[in-house]
PDB file of all heavy atoms in Angstrom:
ATOM      1  N   ILE B 370     -58.522 -41.336  15.383  1.00  0.00           N
ATOM      2  CA  ILE B 370     -58.882 -40.219  14.503  1.00  0.00           C
ATOM      3  C   ILE B 370     -60.356 -40.251  14.127  1.00  0.00           C
ATOM      4  O   ILE B 370     -60.890 -41.293  13.767  1.00  0.00           O
ATOM      5  CB  ILE B 370     -58.058 -40.266  13.201  1.00  0.00           C
ATOM      6  CG1 ILE B 370     -56.567 -40.100  13.503  1.00  0.00           C
ATOM      7  CG2 ILE B 370     -58.517 -39.192  12.236  1.00  0.00           C
ATOM      8  CD1 ILE B 370     -55.731 -39.972  12.250  1.00  0.00           C
ATOM      9  N   THR B 371     -61.010 -39.097  14.225  1.00  0.00           N
ATOM     10  CA  THR B 371     -62.373 -39.010  13.709  1.00  0.00           C
ATOM     11  C   THR B 371     -62.486 -37.960  12.612  1.00  0.00           C
ATOM     12  O   THR B 371     -63.490 -37.909  11.911  1.00  0.00           O
ATOM     13  CB  THR B 371     -63.373 -38.659  14.827  1.00  0.00           C
ATOM     14  OG1 THR B 371     -63.049 -37.370  15.338  1.00  0.00           O
ATOM     15  CG2 THR B 371     -63.319 -39.676  15.943  1.00  0.00           C
ATOM     16  N   GLY B 372     -61.478 -37.123  12.479  1.00  0.00           N
ATOM     17  CA  GLY B 372     -61.529 -36.114  11.429  1.00  0.00           C
ATOM     18  C   GLY B 372     -60.187 -35.429  11.320  1.00  0.00           C
ATOM     19  O   GLY B 372     -59.334 -35.596  12.194  1.00  0.00           O
ATOM     20  N   GLN B 373     -60.001 -34.688  10.264  1.00  0.00           N
ATOM     21  CA  GLN B 373     -58.733 -33.991  10.121  1.00  0.00           C
ATOM     22  C   GLN B 373     -58.887 -32.815   9.168  1.00  0.00           C
ATOM     23  O   GLN B 373     -59.882 -32.690   8.477  1.00  0.00           O
ATOM     24  CB  GLN B 373     -57.642 -34.924   9.631  1.00  0.00           C
ATOM     25  CG  GLN B 373     -57.725 -35.283   8.162  1.00  0.00           C
ATOM     26  CD  GLN B 373     -58.861 -36.212   7.858  1.00  0.00           C
ATOM     27  OE1 GLN B 373     -59.003 -37.233   8.496  1.00  0.00           O
ATOM     28  NE2 GLN B 373     -59.698 -35.862   6.882  1.00  0.00           N
ATOM     29  N   ARG B 374     -57.868 -31.997   9.159  1.00  0.00           N
ATOM     30  CA  ARG B 374     -57.940 -30.758   8.403  1.00  0.00           C
ATOM     31  C   ARG B 374     -56.535 -30.277   8.147  1.00  0.00           C
ATOM     32  O   ARG B 374     -55.750 -30.138   9.083  1.00  0.00           O
ATOM     33  CB  ARG B 374     -58.710 -29.743   9.242  1.00  0.00           C
ATOM     34  CG  ARG B 374     -58.475 -28.339   8.865  1.00  0.00           C
ATOM     35  CD  ARG B 374     -59.296 -27.416   9.713  1.00  0.00           C
ATOM     36  NE  ARG B 374     -59.240 -26.092   9.132  1.00  0.00           N
ATOM     37  CZ  ARG B 374     -59.957 -25.050   9.554  1.00  0.00           C
ATOM     38  NH1 ARG B 374     -60.779 -25.209  10.544  1.00  0.00           N
ATOM     39  NH2 ARG B 374     -59.850 -23.894   8.984  1.00  0.00           N
ATOM     40  N   VAL B 375     -56.226 -30.030   6.885  1.00  0.00           N
ATOM     41  CA  VAL B 375     -54.900 -29.536   6.535  1.00  0.00           C
ATOM     42  C   VAL B 375     -55.075 -28.279   5.693  1.00  0.00           C
ATOM     43  O   VAL B 375     -55.615 -28.333   4.597  1.00  0.00           O
ATOM     44  CB  VAL B 375     -54.088 -30.581   5.739  1.00  0.00           C
ATOM     45  CG1 VAL B 375     -52.714 -30.042   5.411  1.00  0.00           C
ATOM     46  CG2 VAL B 375     -53.984 -31.884   6.527  1.00  0.00           C
ATOM     47  N   ASP B 376     -54.655 -27.147   6.232  1.00  0.00           N
ATOM     48  CA  ASP B 376     -54.803 -25.873   5.526  1.00  0.00           C
ATOM     49  C   ASP B 376     -53.437 -25.286   5.207  1.00  0.00           C
ATOM     50  O   ASP B 376     -52.536 -25.328   6.039  1.00  0.00           O
ATOM     51  CB  ASP B 376     -55.518 -24.841   6.405  1.00  0.00           C
ATOM     52  CG  ASP B 376     -56.974 -25.186   6.664  1.00  0.00           C
ATOM     53  OD1 ASP B 376     -57.478 -26.137   6.049  1.00  0.00           O
ATOM     54  OD2 ASP B 376     -57.592 -24.483   7.488  1.00  0.00           O
ATOM     55  N   ILE B 377     -53.330 -24.705   4.027  1.00  0.00           N
ATOM     56  CA  ILE B 377     -52.194 -23.843   3.728  1.00  0.00           C
ATOM     57  C   ILE B 377     -52.747 -22.473   3.406  1.00  0.00           C
ATOM     58  O   ILE B 377     -53.638 -22.350   2.566  1.00  0.00           O
ATOM     59  CB  ILE B 377     -51.391 -24.307   2.503  1.00  0.00           C
ATOM     60  CG1 ILE B 377     -51.131 -25.803   2.530  1.00  0.00           C
ATOM     61  CG2 ILE B 377     -50.084 -23.559   2.404  1.00  0.00           C
ATOM     62  CD1 ILE B 377     -50.286 -26.246   1.329  1.00  0.00           C
ATOM     63  N   TYR B 378     -52.254 -21.448   4.081  1.00  0.00           N
ATOM     64  CA  TYR B 378     -52.681 -20.080   3.802  1.00  0.00           C
ATOM     65  C   TYR B 378     -51.606 -19.356   3.020  1.00  0.00           C
ATOM     66  O   TYR B 378     -50.419 -19.584   3.231  1.00  0.00           O
ATOM     67  CB  TYR B 378     -52.940 -19.327   5.113  1.00  0.00           C
ATOM     68  CG  TYR B 378     -53.908 -20.045   5.998  1.00  0.00           C
ATOM     69  CD1 TYR B 378     -53.460 -20.786   7.088  1.00  0.00           C
ATOM     70  CD2 TYR B 378     -55.264 -20.022   5.722  1.00  0.00           C
ATOM     71  CE1 TYR B 378     -54.356 -21.467   7.899  1.00  0.00           C
ATOM     72  CE2 TYR B 378     -56.165 -20.704   6.513  1.00  0.00           C
ATOM     73  CZ  TYR B 378     -55.707 -21.423   7.601  1.00  0.00           C
ATOM     74  OH  TYR B 378     -56.594 -22.106   8.389  1.00  0.00           O
ATOM     75  N   GLY B 379     -52.020 -18.504   2.125  1.00  0.00           N
ATOM     76  CA  GLY B 379     -51.040 -17.758   1.369  1.00  0.00           C
ATOM     77  C   GLY B 379     -51.682 -17.030   0.214  1.00  0.00           C
ATOM     78  O   GLY B 379     -52.835 -16.606   0.307  1.00  0.00           O
ATOM     79  N   VAL B 380     -50.937 -16.898  -0.860  1.00  0.00           N
ATOM     80  CA  VAL B 380     -51.414 -16.164  -2.024  1.00  0.00           C
ATOM     81  C   VAL B 380     -51.312 -17.069  -3.242  1.00  0.00           C
ATOM     82  O   VAL B 380     -50.246 -17.618  -3.534  1.00  0.00           O
ATOM     83  CB  VAL B 380     -50.583 -14.887  -2.252  1.00  0.00           C
ATOM     84  CG1 VAL B 380     -51.198 -14.051  -3.358  1.00  0.00           C
ATOM     85  CG2 VAL B 380     -50.475 -14.083  -0.970  1.00  0.00           C
ATOM     86  N   CYS B 381     -52.414 -17.243  -3.948  1.00  0.00           N
ATOM     87  CA  CYS B 381     -52.418 -18.136  -5.107  1.00  0.00           C
ATOM     88  C   CYS B 381     -51.720 -17.472  -6.298  1.00  0.00           C
ATOM     89  O   CYS B 381     -51.514 -16.261  -6.318  1.00  0.00           O
ATOM     90  CB  CYS B 381     -53.835 -18.553  -5.466  1.00  0.00           C
ATOM     91  SG  CYS B 381     -54.853 -17.249  -6.173  1.00  0.00           S
ATOM     92  N   LYS B 382     -51.406 -18.290  -7.257  1.00  0.00           N
ATOM     93  CA  LYS B 382     -50.616 -17.833  -8.396  1.00  0.00           C
ATOM     94  C   LYS B 382     -51.234 -16.613  -9.095  1.00  0.00           C
ATOM     95  O   LYS B 382     -50.561 -15.601  -9.260  1.00  0.00           O
ATOM     96  CB  LYS B 382     -50.453 -18.995  -9.384  1.00  0.00           C
ATOM     97  CG  LYS B 382     -49.244 -18.881 -10.294  1.00  0.00           C
ATOM     98  CD  LYS B 382     -49.093 -20.174 -11.085  1.00  0.00           C
ATOM     99  CE  LYS B 382     -47.744 -20.261 -11.795  1.00  0.00           C
ATOM    100  NZ  LYS B 382     -47.548 -21.627 -12.347  1.00  0.00           N
ATOM    101  N   PRO B 383     -52.504 -16.706  -9.494  1.00  0.00           N
ATOM    102  CA  PRO B 383     -53.086 -15.545 -10.197  1.00  0.00           C
ATOM    103  C   PRO B 383     -53.023 -14.267  -9.367  1.00  0.00           C
ATOM    104  O   PRO B 383     -52.783 -13.187  -9.909  1.00  0.00           O
ATOM    105  CB  PRO B 383     -54.542 -15.962 -10.425  1.00  0.00           C
ATOM    106  CG  PRO B 383     -54.571 -17.438 -10.318  1.00  0.00           C
ATOM    107  CD  PRO B 383     -53.464 -17.824  -9.398  1.00  0.00           C
ATOM    108  N   CYS B 384     -53.219 -14.401  -8.060  1.00  0.00           N
ATOM    109  CA  CYS B 384     -53.237 -13.200  -7.220  1.00  0.00           C
ATOM    110  C   CYS B 384     -51.845 -12.581  -7.048  1.00  0.00           C
ATOM    111  O   CYS B 384     -51.732 -11.392  -6.753  1.00  0.00           O
ATOM    112  CB  CYS B 384     -53.819 -13.513  -5.846  1.00  0.00           C
ATOM    113  SG  CYS B 384     -55.617 -13.588  -5.851  1.00  0.00           S
ATOM    114  N   GLN B 385     -50.807 -13.379  -7.194  1.00  0.00           N
ATOM    115  CA  GLN B 385     -49.466 -12.842  -6.978  1.00  0.00           C
ATOM    116  C   GLN B 385     -49.135 -11.762  -7.990  1.00  0.00           C
ATOM    117  O   GLN B 385     -48.392 -10.830  -7.704  1.00  0.00           O
ATOM    118  CB  GLN B 385     -48.419 -13.962  -7.047  1.00  0.00           C
ATOM    119  CG  GLN B 385     -48.418 -14.831  -5.801  1.00  0.00           C
ATOM    120  CD  GLN B 385     -47.528 -16.057  -5.958  1.00  0.00           C
ATOM    121  OE1 GLN B 385     -46.447 -15.978  -6.531  1.00  0.00           O
ATOM    122  NE2 GLN B 385     -47.985 -17.191  -5.449  1.00  0.00           N
ATOM    123  N   LYS B 386     -49.728 -11.874  -9.173  1.00  0.00           N
ATOM    124  CA  LYS B 386     -49.454 -10.909 -10.242  1.00  0.00           C
ATOM    125  C   LYS B 386     -49.923  -9.515  -9.871  1.00  0.00           C
ATOM    126  O   LYS B 386     -49.215  -8.546 -10.023  1.00  0.00           O
ATOM    127  CB  LYS B 386     -50.139 -11.344 -11.539  1.00  0.00           C
ATOM    128  CG  LYS B 386     -49.520 -12.581 -12.161  1.00  0.00           C
ATOM    129  CD  LYS B 386     -49.959 -12.734 -13.617  1.00  0.00           C
ATOM    130  CE  LYS B 386     -49.290 -13.931 -14.274  1.00  0.00           C
ATOM    131  NZ  LYS B 386     -49.756 -15.219 -13.683  1.00  0.00           N
ATOM    132  N   HIS B 387     -51.165  -9.446  -9.376  1.00  0.00           N
ATOM    133  CA  HIS B 387     -51.719  -8.115  -9.055  1.00  0.00           C
ATOM    134  C   HIS B 387     -51.886  -7.960  -7.557  1.00  0.00           C
ATOM    135  O   HIS B 387     -52.855  -7.394  -7.095  1.00  0.00           O
ATOM    136  CB  HIS B 387     -53.045  -7.890  -9.775  1.00  0.00           C
ATOM    137  CG  HIS B 387     -53.772  -9.151 -10.088  1.00  0.00           C
ATOM    138  ND1 HIS B 387     -53.649  -9.801 -11.291  1.00  0.00           N
ATOM    139  CD2 HIS B 387     -54.610  -9.889  -9.339  1.00  0.00           C
ATOM    140  CE1 HIS B 387     -54.397 -10.888 -11.268  1.00  0.00           C
ATOM    141  NE2 HIS B 387     -54.991 -10.972 -10.097  1.00  0.00           N
ATOM    142  N   GLU B 388     -50.917  -8.468  -6.817  1.00  0.00           N
ATOM    143  CA  GLU B 388     -51.048  -8.439  -5.365  1.00  0.00           C
ATOM    144  C   GLU B 388     -51.075  -7.014  -4.834  1.00  0.00           C
ATOM    145  O   GLU B 388     -51.773  -6.697  -3.879  1.00  0.00           O
ATOM    146  CB  GLU B 388     -49.888  -9.201  -4.731  1.00  0.00           C
ATOM    147  CG  GLU B 388     -50.245  -9.722  -3.353  1.00  0.00           C
ATOM    148  CD  GLU B 388     -49.067 -10.394  -2.683  1.00  0.00           C
ATOM    149  OE1 GLU B 388     -48.030 -10.597  -3.344  1.00  0.00           O
ATOM    150  OE2 GLU B 388     -49.180 -10.695  -1.491  1.00  0.00           O
ATOM    151  N   ASN B 389     -50.292  -6.155  -5.465  1.00  0.00           N
ATOM    152  CA  ASN B 389     -50.207  -4.784  -4.971  1.00  0.00           C
ATOM    153  C   ASN B 389     -51.324  -3.894  -5.501  1.00  0.00           C
ATOM    154  O   ASN B 389     -51.594  -2.844  -4.952  1.00  0.00           O
ATOM    155  CB  ASN B 389     -48.837  -4.172  -5.319  1.00  0.00           C
ATOM    156  CG  ASN B 389     -48.172  -4.917  -6.451  1.00  0.00           C
ATOM    157  OD1 ASN B 389     -48.861  -5.576  -7.241  1.00  0.00           O
ATOM    158  ND2 ASN B 389     -46.866  -4.796  -6.561  1.00  0.00           N
ATOM    159  N   SER B 390     -51.990  -4.330  -6.561  1.00  0.00           N
ATOM    160  CA  SER B 390     -53.044  -3.484  -7.126  1.00  0.00           C
ATOM    161  C   SER B 390     -54.328  -3.540  -6.305  1.00  0.00           C
ATOM    162  O   SER B 390     -55.048  -2.564  -6.202  1.00  0.00           O
ATOM    163  CB  SER B 390     -53.338  -3.889  -8.575  1.00  0.00           C
ATOM    164  OG  SER B 390     -53.688  -5.253  -8.631  1.00  0.00           O
ATOM    165  N   VAL B 391     -54.614  -4.716  -5.718  1.00  0.00           N
ATOM    166  CA  VAL B 391     -55.815  -4.840  -4.901  1.00  0.00           C
ATOM    167  C   VAL B 391     -55.396  -5.033  -3.451  1.00  0.00           C
ATOM    168  O   VAL B 391     -54.741  -6.011  -3.130  1.00  0.00           O
ATOM    169  CB  VAL B 391     -56.652  -6.066  -5.352  1.00  0.00           C
ATOM    170  CG1 VAL B 391     -58.021  -6.021  -4.688  1.00  0.00           C
ATOM    171  CG2 VAL B 391     -56.762  -6.129  -6.845  1.00  0.00           C
TER     172      VAL B 391
END
Side-chain angles (χ1 to χ4, degrees):
Chain B
I370 297 187
T371 63
Q373 75 288 309
R374 159 178 192 173
V375 181
D376 292 352
I377 315 182
Y378 306 102
V380 187
C381 71
K382 204 172 192 170
C384 281
Q385 285 172 40
K386 290 196 177 67
H387 26 266
E388 205 184 351
N389 20 23
S390 57
V391 191

